[in-house]
C-alpha cells in the first residue's frame, strides 16, 4: 500500500480502449505540428505507464505487430488480467510488468512512445516526479510522450464534488465500492435538498446524474484516491520541460486548430497571439476545457516545409470517414459548429472517396495541382480535425465482402475477445492491423459477429436471440428492458440486418473480418 502512495488498490479498474494512445494518432498530431514523428517501419518500442487493465496496450499490440509494447502497473490484480489477455491473444510483442514507477526493471529499452493516460491527476506529487524521471530517462531522442489529465478551468466548478464525495466516503465502512455507493447517495441527497452549492452551480447539479450512470469501479478510481489534482496546461508544460520535453500538439486532432475550439468572436484575439503555449491557455478558457491529451517531444526534429513534413509522415494513409459523405458537411466540436464546403474539399472527397491515399499521393493528384501544396495539406488536416477524413497506419481495404463465402477473424486477440466478452454489457475494441488501432463495437454487435463467424448467415437472428436469452442480458427500449418475446425477436432481427449492411462492410474494410 505504501508504494501505491494513496492510490486505490482494493478495487480493480474497468477495461477501456482509448484510440488516442495509438502510435498513428500520436505521430499524426506531431506531424501536423511540424515535428517529425519517430519512424515505425522497422519496428518501435512503446511504453504505457499505469496501463490499468491494459486494453489499450493489448489492442494496440495486436494492431501493430512490428511494435514492442510494455505496460507497467502497480496493481497485481490489473497486471494478472493483462497477462491473461496477452496469453489468450498470443501477443508475442506485449509484456506486462508489475511495478511502481520508481522501480522499473533494468532490462527495459528506450522508447519511441511513452503513454500515460488517466494517471497524472490521480497520483501523489512524489509519484508524478517518478513519472517525469521515467520519461526523462526512457524516452528516445525524437520520441513522443502522450499524457492526459483533468484540466482547468473545466474542472473548476466540479472539483468541490470530488472533494465532498471523498471526504464523505473515507468516513464510511467497507471497501471502496461500498464507500463510493454511500458517497453517491449522500451527493444525491444534498443536491435534491437544494444545498446552496448545487443551487449556485446548476451544471454541477446535473453532473451528479452523469455520475450515477457510470461504472462504480471507474468512479472509485476517479474520485477516491487520496491525491487528485486538475492542472492548467502551463503547469503540465512546465512539469515536462523538466524532463527536456517540448509541446508537440494535442488530441483529439481538432484541438490543434484553435478556430475549431473557440467561438468566432474570440478569433481575432487568437490571430494576434504567436506563442503556442499562451494560445493553449486562452483556448482552454474560451472552450472551458476539462480534460487534455497533450503530446510532448524530446529533442525534436522540425519539418518546416511541406516537403520535409510529407517525407516524415508519408507512411500514414487518409480516407473518407463515412464513404458517401456529401458537402456541405457540418460538425459540432463542442463549442463551435463547423461547416466544410468548397471546391478543394469536393475534389478531395472524390479523390480519396473510395480507398485511402498517402499525403504525397494526394498532393500529386492532377485535379488538385492548382492548389498550393501547403494549403492542400492544411485542408486534409482540417478535414481530419472535423471528422470528414480519417487517418491510418496503413491502406484500408477497398474490397467488399462476399456474403456467399465464410467469414474469418484472422487475429487471435480479436477471436478471444469475441469468445469471452460478447454480451458483457461493455463495448469492445477489435484490433485492425490495417489501421494500427482498435475499432469499437457494442457487445451485442460483437455477439452477432461471433455467431456469423462461427456458424454463418443461416437463422442468424434466431441464434443471436437464443444467445441473448441464455446470457441473461436484456435489450433496452426507451431505457427499459424489453420483456415481450415477439418485440425482442423483432429487435434482434433488425439489429442483425443493420449489422450486415453497416458494421460488417466496415469491419471488412478494416481487415478485422475477411472472407475465408
Ligand atoms: C485511472 S487508472 C488508468 C488506467 C489506464 N491507463 C486506463 O486508462 O484504462 C490509473 C492506473 O495507474 C496505476 N498506478 C497508480 N499509481 C501507480 C504507481 N505508483 N506505479 C505504477 N502504477 C500506478 C493504477 O494501479 C491504475 O491502474
Amino acid at each position: 500500500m505504501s508504494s501505491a502512495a494513496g492510490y486505490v488498490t482494493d478495487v480493480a479498474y474497468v477495461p477501456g480502449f482509448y484510440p488516442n494512445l495509438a502510435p498513428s494518432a500520436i505521430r499524426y498530431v506531431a506531424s501536423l505540428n511540424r515535428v517529425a514523428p519517430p519512424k515505425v517501419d522497422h519496428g518501435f518500442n512503446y511504453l504505457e505507464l499505469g496501463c490499468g487493465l491494459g486494453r489499450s496496450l493489448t489492442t494496440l499490440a495486436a494492431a501493430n505487430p512490428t511494435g514492442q509494447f510494455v505496460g507497467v502497473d502497480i496493481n497485481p490484480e490489473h497486471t494478472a488480467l493483462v497477462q491473461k489477455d496477452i496469453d489468450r491473444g498470443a501477443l508475442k510483442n506485449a509484456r506486462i510488468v508489475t511495478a511502481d514507477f520508481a522501480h522499473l526493471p533494468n532490462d527495459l529499452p528506450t522508447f519511441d512512445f511513452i503513454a500515460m493516460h488517466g494517471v497524472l491527476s490521480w497520483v501523489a506529487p512524489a509519484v508524478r516526479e517518478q513519472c517525469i524521471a521515467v520519461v526523462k530517462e526512457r524516452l528516445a531522442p525524437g520520441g513522443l510522450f502522450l499524457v492526459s489529465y483533468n484540466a482547468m478551468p473545466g474542472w473548476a466548478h466540479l472539483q468541490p464534488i470530488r472533494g465532498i464525495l471523498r471526504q464523505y466516503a473515507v468516513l464510511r465502512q467497507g471497501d471502496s465500492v461500498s464507500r463510493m455507493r454511500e458517497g453517491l447517495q449522500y451527493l444525491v441527497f444534498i443536491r435534491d435538498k437544494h444545498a446552496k452549492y448545487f443551487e449556485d452551480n446548476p451544471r454541477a447539479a446535473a453532473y451528479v446524474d452523469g455520475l450515477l450512470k457510470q461504472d462504480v469501479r471507474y468512479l472509485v478510481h476517479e474520485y477516491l484516491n487520496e491525491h487528485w489534482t486538475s492542472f492548467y496546461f502551463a503547469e503540465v508544460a512546465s512539469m515536462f520541460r523538466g524532463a527536456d520535453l517540448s509541446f508537440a500538439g494535442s488530441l483529439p486532432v481538432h484541438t490543434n486548430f484553435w478556430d475549431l475550439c473557440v467561438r468566432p468572436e474570440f478569433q481575432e484575439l487568437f490571430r494576434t497571439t504567436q506563442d503556442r503555449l499562451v494560445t493553449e491557455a486562452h483556448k482552454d478558457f474560451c472552450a472551458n476545457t476539462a480534460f487534455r491529451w497533450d503530446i510532448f517531444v524530446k529533442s525534436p526534429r522540425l519539418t518546416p516545409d511541406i516537403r520535409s513534413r510529407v517525407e516524415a509522415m508519408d507512411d500514414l494513409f487518409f480516407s473518407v470517414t463515412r464513404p458517401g459523405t456529401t458537402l456541405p458537411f457540418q460538425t459540432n466540436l463542442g463549442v463551435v459548429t463547423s461547416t466544410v464546403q468548397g471546391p478543394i474539399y469536393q475534389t478531395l472527397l472524390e479523390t480519396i472517396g473510395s480507398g485511402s491515399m498517402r499525403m504525397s499521393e494526394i498532393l500529386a493528384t492532377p485535379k488538385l495541382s492548382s492548389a498550393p501544396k501547403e494549403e492542400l495539406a492544411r485542408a486534409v488536416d482540417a478535414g481530419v480535425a472535423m471528422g470528414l477524413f480519417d487517418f491510418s497506419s496503413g491502406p484500408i481495404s477497398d474490397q467488399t465482402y462476399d456474403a456467399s463465402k465464410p467469414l474469418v477473424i484472422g487475429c487471435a486477440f480479436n477471436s478471444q475477445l469475441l469468445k469471452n466478452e460478447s454480451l458483457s454489457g461493455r463495448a469492445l475494441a477489435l484490433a485492425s492491423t490495417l489501421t494500427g488501432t482498435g475499432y469499437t463495437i457494442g457487445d451485442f454487435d460483437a455477439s452477432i459477429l461471433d455467431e456469423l463467424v462461427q456458424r454463418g448467415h443461416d437463422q442468424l437472428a434466431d441464434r443471436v436471440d437464443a444467445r441473448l436469452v441464455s446470457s441473461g442480458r436484456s435489450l433496452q427500449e426507451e431505457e427499459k428492458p424489453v420483456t415481450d418475446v415477439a418485440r425482442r425477436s423483432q429487435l434482434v432481427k433488425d439489429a442483425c440486418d443493420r449489422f450486415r449492411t453497416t458494421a460488417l462492410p466496415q469491419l471488412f474494410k478494416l481487415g478485422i473480418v475477411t472472407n475465408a
Side-chain angles (χ1 to χ4, degrees):
M1 186 70 189
S2 63
S3 55
Y7 193 92
V8 168
T9 51
D10 68 329
V11 171
Y13 195 51
V14 283
F17 171 73
Y18 299 94
N20 285 353
L21 271 69
S24 54
I26 302 172
R27 293 181 75 230
Y28 175 59
V29 165
S31 89
L32 81 87
N33 286 289
R34 300 303 178 149
V35 168
K39 290 276 177 207
V40 290
D41 35 6
H42 298 299
F44 60 89
N45 288 318
Y46 184 111
L47 172 67
E48 188 182 352
L49 294 173
C51 64
L53 299 194
R55 268 304 149 76
S56 299
L57 184 88
T58 48
T59 310
L60 291 174
N64 296 274
T66 62
Q68 297 296 322
F69 289 77
V70 179
V72 175
D73 204 282
I74 197 170
N75 187 331
E77 199 179 338
H78 290 178
T79 54
L81 289 168
V82 181
Q83 188 61 54
K84 197 162 155 191
D85 276 354
I86 291 176
D87 295 342
R88 278 176 172 171
L91 295 172
K92 297 209 166 32
N93 62 336
R95 172 181 172 192
I96 181 71
V97 171
T98 310
D100 70 76
F101 303 133
H103 298 96
L104 299 191
N106 292 328
D107 63 346
L108 293 182
T110 56
F111 292 91
D112 305 294
F113 303 92
I114 299 183
M116 196 167 82
H117 169 50
V119 177
L120 193 76
S121 283
W122 295 268
V123 293
V127 177
R128 289 203 293 272
E129 290 302 322
Q130 293 161 8
C131 298
I132 296 169
V134 171
V135 176
K136 184 169 182 167
E137 192 186 325
R138 305 276 176 177
L139 191 65
L144 298 172
F145 171 55
L146 172 79
V147 59
S148 72
Y149 54 95
N150 281 340
M152 289 290 268
W155 261 99
H157 67 290
L158 302 175
Q159 203 147 323
I161 292 189
R162 185 267 165 184
I164 198 72
L165 190 53
R166 183 168 191 281
Q167 281 166 40
Y168 186 85
V170 288
L171 298 176
R172 304 288 107 195
Q173 301 291 320
D175 68 3
S176 296
V177 163
S178 41
R179 286 162 192 262
M180 174 52 84
R181 290 217 166 96
E182 288 193 51
L184 287 171
Q185 279 170 12
Y186 168 71
L187 262 189
V188 171
F189 174 77
I190 55 172
R191 192 232 7 217
D192 292 352
K193 295 285 175 212
H194 309 288
K196 185 86 165 55
Y197 170 73
F198 285 116
E199 279 197 343
D200 290 351
N201 295 279
R203 281 192 56 210
Y207 185 79
V208 174
D209 290 324
L211 293 183
L212 298 176
K213 293 189 186 135
Q214 308 258 22
D215 187 316
V216 71
R217 292 167 302 164
Y218 163 79
L219 295 176
V220 163
H221 283 257
E222 172 71 47
Y223 294 102
L224 291 196
N225 289 305
E226 186 180 334
H227 301 276
W228 190 98
T229 323
S230 49
F231 297 104
Y232 287 99
F233 164 74
E235 293 171 323
V236 174
S238 135
M239 215 182 279
F240 288 101
R241 212 172 297 129
D244 305 327
L245 302 188
S246 42
F247 182 60
S250 52
L251 277 158
V253 174
H254 78 266
T255 58
N256 296 280
F257 294 76
W258 52 257
D259 48 343
L260 297 179
C261 301
V262 305
R263 284 203 295 269
E265 51 270 40
F266 299 127
Q267 296 193 353
E268 200 44 46
L269 187 76
F270 279 79
R271 236 167 246 126
T272 53
T273 311
Q274 298 300 323
D275 185 324
R276 178 74 190 266
L277 300 188
V278 174
T279 302
E280 289 302 307
H282 289 303
K283 192 183 79 183
D284 285 346
F285 214 85
C286 292
N288 198 26
T289 308
F291 198 79
R292 283 190 65 110
W293 302 77
D294 287 335
I295 296 167
F296 292 89
V297 59
K298 184 185 216 172
S299 314
R301 181 171 72 78
L302 300 181
T303 57
D305 54 35
I306 185 70
R307 193 188 50 78
S308 57
R309 177 184 173 208
V310 170
E311 248 172 44
M313 49 83 81
D314 215 25
D315 50 2
L316 292 174
F317 286 75
F318 296 87
S319 55
V320 174
T321 308
R322 270 171 223 84
T325 301
T326 52
L327 299 183
F329 170 83
Q330 265 207 344
T331 181
N332 186 298
L333 297 163
V335 178
V336 203
T337 297
S338 306
T339 306
V340 189
Q341 55 198 346
I344 286 196
Y345 281 106
Q346 188 55 46
T347 315
L348 279 171
L349 267 184
E350 288 158 16
T351 307
I352 51 179
S354 57
S356 56
M357 284 172 103
R358 297 170 194 270
M359 187 67 96
S360 63
E361 293 168 334
I362 297 172
L363 301 187
T365 303
K367 273 199 280 182
L368 291 164
S369 60
S370 59
K373 303 231 174 307
E374 285 282 358
E375 202 180 299
L376 214 46
R378 189 79 185 156
V380 173
D381 292 332
V384 172
M386 290 183 280
L388 181 64
F389 305 134
D390 207 353
F391 59 87
S392 55
S393 66
I396 59 168
S397 160
D398 54 4
Q399 291 175 16
T400 45
Y401 80 98
D402 181 343
S404 67
K405 290 189 184 153
L407 295 169
V408 180
I409 302 279
C411 162
F413 177 77
N414 290 341
S415 301
Q416 64 84 22
L417 265 189
L418 289 177
K419 181 161 165 269
N420 296 306
E421 297 201 12
S422 300
L423 296 175
S424 64
R426 259 191 324 265
L428 51 114
L430 300 171
S432 159
T433 49
L434 296 189
T435 61
T437 188
Y439 181 74
T440 299
I441 61 174
D443 69 323
F444 186 53
D445 273 359
S447 75
I448 300 175
L449 176 60
D450 197 36
E451 280 297 329
L452 260 178
V453 173
Q454 300 294 335
R455 282 172 280 276
H457 291 268
D458 279 354
Q459 297 181 318
L460 176 67
D462 291 344
R463 291 182 351 243
V464 172
D465 195 18
R467 189 165 169 166
L468 185 70
V469 172
S470 68
S471 75
R473 153 107 145 72
S474 59
L475 286 184
Q476 303 273 320
E477 211 171 26
E478 292 167 4
E479 299 199 1
K480 290 197 193 84
V482 177
T483 48
D484 179 72
V485 174
R487 180 68 190 145
R488 191 194 64 221
S489 299
Q490 185 59 46
L491 287 175
V492 171
K493 187 179 170 308
D494 293 347
C496 290
D497 291 345
R498 223 175 17 250
F499 182 83
R500 274 190 281 227
T501 50
T502 54
L504 192 53
Q506 186 64 10
L507 290 164
F508 202 83
K509 280 180 85 159
L510 301 177
I512 293 170
V513 180
T514 54
N515 275 133

